[in-house]
Amino acid sequence: MNISAVGSVIRKSVNKDLFCHKYWAWAQKEGGVRATRNEAVSLHGYLNGINHNFINCPNPKSMNEKFFQTNMTPREMISVTDFDFKELKPTEGKLNVFRCVGKKPEFFSEYPLYQKRCAVKKGDIIDMKEYAYATSDINYAKGYMPDNKGIMYEIEIPKGARVSRKGILGTNDEIVFPRSSKFECMDVKKVQDSDNDFVHVKLRYILPDEPWRANV
């Protein structure tokens, strides 16, 4: 089965557990998942436009409505992207990146999640449901934290991670993590002075458990 055929199977199975080890072992065996030199998923720059579907989706029908920038539905974009992540070239060394989230007002639907994230403690495991964006450029990341209020994540990405990356790796790049990526909280510090009011959270990206890669 070629890559397009496997992709078709994925699109028809969007409501099923696409991360089943048995499924991915089969896909790899059939030639659908292979080692490539790709460092970024095909829809890298568009995923932020559908992240609200994971965080807050008052209208589930939007999952089946075409996203104007890609002419694909969010469901189709998710299917293609999840498959792309499986094929990415793993990182050759450790990376240190930043992700900032601006302070959410109480009337925002995301406020409960924001409060939960602000209360994270060392040792906690964070599950980011969306395709989370980050960068090695701290100043670029701070652009998403207006008035220096909110949450700054400093994330260690271990060697061998399959994350989507564009730009000059390690200095001026943009990183996207697979959806539902998990992170271990290594440290938390409150930064509060005349110019800042944010929580600095150090995280370590947890590599997904993919034993199926060794089964073929």
Side-chain angles (χ1 to χ4, degrees), residues 40-104:
V41 297
S42 57
L43 297 173
H44 178 105
Y46 302 103
L47 299 174
N48 195 48
I50 64 169
N51 272 340
H52 66 279
N53 289 286
F54 304 106
I55 302 171
N56 175 42
C57 187
N59 180 19
K61 291 182 179 179
S62 65
M63 288 288 285
N64 298 314
E65 297 173 353
K66 290 189 181 295
F67 182 56
F68 73 96
Q69 289 183 296
T70 63
N71 202 34
M72 300 168 66
T73 68
R75 289 189 187 278
E76 291 172 331
M77 292 173 66
I78 290 167
S79 298
V80 170
T81 301
D82 287 353
F83 201 88
D84 282 353
F85 269 111
K86 297 296 182 183
E87 291 193 309
L88 289 181
K89 177 183 176 183
T91 55
E92 297 179 353
K94 184 173 70 173
L95 293 174
N96 196 65
V97 299
F98 298 89
R99 170 178 170 80
C100 290
V101 177
K103 184 177 180 179
K104 306 297 181 186

Side-chain angles (χ1 to χ4, degrees), residues 1 103 158 196:
M1 182 178 290
K103 184 177 180 179
N196 302 284

